[in-house]
């Protein structure tokens, strides 16, 4: 694993043109085209990067972008890897390891999620305050490399209270209503049954999705500060979901997500 990180790092480090990007963004379903708003210096397909898995989901373009957003150097992953695609947990979180090696300190993640909180409506945004990990495998299972992080990393404050506060203020300035809540991460790829939705609600969830939790666990293990934003693409009343619907809602909400991310970035 350490060698693989080094090899990917050797390939990606020159693309930084000597600038250390302190911030990375992982763009989820329907939000991949956030990259349109960046000044793109380099866009590299995942297939070209040593040891990167390949993303197989429509709507997840699969490019590693080095660029600028409002004058800030950032790395953006356009498209992420999901457990349901068949990759191992170590594989889907590998890019987060590489980001840390490249000097990234702050990780922003967006995803599409189902709203299980009855107050949530399609198209709403939820700042992730905490998560419940229901994935069947853990990304830190196996040998721990102390140079990457502690054997038993804490998960309190995994979603940075500082960044949550800044995002809430940003939302106020933009007059953008924001929920806060608990994201429940499941493996998918089937959407939940109505009974599962009710169960997730009863056990403390506000939103449910198939990503983000593995990346945040690994980012916290590596000491990075994390911020997560869920786009609520469907809810209990519209529980019959399809990937197209999820993408479409993600797309409609895009301007609001971009506005919020930009406003948040300005404070960092
Ligand atoms: N469940 C799981 N993942 C999702 C959903 C959902 O309802 N909507 C978007 N991603």
């Amino acid at each position: 694993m350490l060698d693989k990180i080094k090899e990917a790092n050797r390939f990606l480090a020159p693309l930084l043109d000597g600038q250390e990007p302190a911030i990375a963004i992982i763009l989820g379903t329907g939000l991949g085209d956030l990259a349109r708003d960046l000044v793109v210096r380099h866009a590299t397909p995942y297939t070209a990067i040593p040891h990167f898995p390949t993303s197989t989901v429509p709507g997840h373009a699969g490019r590693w972008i080095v660029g600028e957003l409002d004058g800030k150097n950032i790395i953006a992953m356009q498209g992420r890897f999901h457990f349901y695609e068949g990759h191992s947990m170590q594989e889907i979180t590998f890019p987060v390891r590489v980001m840390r090696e490249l000097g990234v300190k702050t990780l922003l993640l967006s995803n599409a999620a189902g709203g299980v909180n009855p107050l949530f409506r399609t198209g709403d945004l939820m700042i992730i305050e905490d998560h419940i990990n229901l994935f069947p495998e853990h990304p830190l299972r196996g040998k721990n490399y102390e140079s990457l992080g502690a054997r038993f990393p804490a998960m309190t404050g995994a979603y940075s209270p500082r960044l949550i506060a800044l995002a809430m203020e940003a939302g106020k300035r933009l007059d953008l209503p924001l929920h806060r809540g608990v994201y429940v991460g499941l493996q998918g790829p089937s959407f939940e049954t109505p009974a599962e939705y009710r169960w997730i609600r009863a056990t403390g969830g506000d939103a449910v999705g198939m990503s983000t939790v593995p990346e945040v666990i690994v980012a916290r293990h590596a000491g990075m500060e994390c911020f997560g934003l869920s786009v609520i693409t469907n809810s209990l009343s519209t529980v019959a979901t399809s990937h197209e619907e999820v993408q479409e809602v993600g797309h409609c909400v895009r301007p609001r997500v971009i506005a919020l991310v930009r406003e948040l970035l300005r404070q960092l």
Side-chain angles (χ1 to χ4, degrees), residues 218-254:
V218 167
R220 292 304 295 154
H221 181 244
M224 293 156 78
E225 197 179 18
C226 296
F227 175 79
L229 185 70
S230 289
V231 174
I232 305 301
T233 55
N234 52 279
S235 61
L236 192 51
S237 53
T238 56
V239 77
T241 43
S242 70
H243 184 61
E244 289 67 32
E245 179 191 331
V246 166
Q247 276 186 294
E248 198 181 304
V249 176
H251 197 76
C252 293
V253 178
R254 179 180 175 276

Side-chain angles (χ1 to χ4, degrees), residues 19 37-41 66-74:
Q19 321 249 18
D37 293 72
L38 304 175
V39 178
V40 176
R41 286 207 303 272
V66 178
E68 258 175 57
L69 190 59
D70 300 325
K72 288 230 161 59
N73 290 312
I74 63 164

Side-chain angles (χ1 to χ4, degrees), residues 125-139:
L125 299 181
M126 184 192 89
I127 292 177
I128 305 178
E129 270 187 328
D130 204 348
H131 74 219
I132 295 176
N133 178 14
L134 294 183
F135 282 89
E137 200 186 297
H138 198 284

Side-chain angles (χ1 to χ4, degrees), residues 112-115 183 186 190-192 197 208-210 231 233-234 239 241 246:
Y183 176 90
L186 294 174
S190 54
F191 290 112
E192 296 70 34
Y197 254 50
V208 57
M210 308 171 194
V231 174
T233 55
N234 52 279
V239 77
T241 43
V246 166

Side-chain angles (χ1 to χ4, degrees), residues 96-163:
V96 178
R97 295 284 179 212
V98 178
M99 284 172 183
R100 187 67 197 85
E101 185 80 5
L102 291 169
V104 170
K105 308 266 185 306
T106 303
L107 181 60
L108 314 182
L109 310 98
S110 73
N111 61 46
V116 294
N117 183 319
L119 298 176
F120 291 5
R121 298 286 168 265
T122 297
D124 284 357
L125 299 181
M126 184 192 89
I127 292 177
I128 305 178
E129 270 187 328
D130 204 348
H131 74 219
I132 295 176
N133 178 14
L134 294 183
F135 282 89
E137 200 186 297
H138 198 284
L140 302 180
R141 179 168 173 266
K143 181 173 167 55
N144 186 61
Y145 298 94
E146 286 293 324
S147 62
L148 299 182
R151 168 80 287 186
F152 301 108
M155 286 293 141
T156 46
Y159 299 83
S160 160
R162 180 182 87 93
L163 296 179

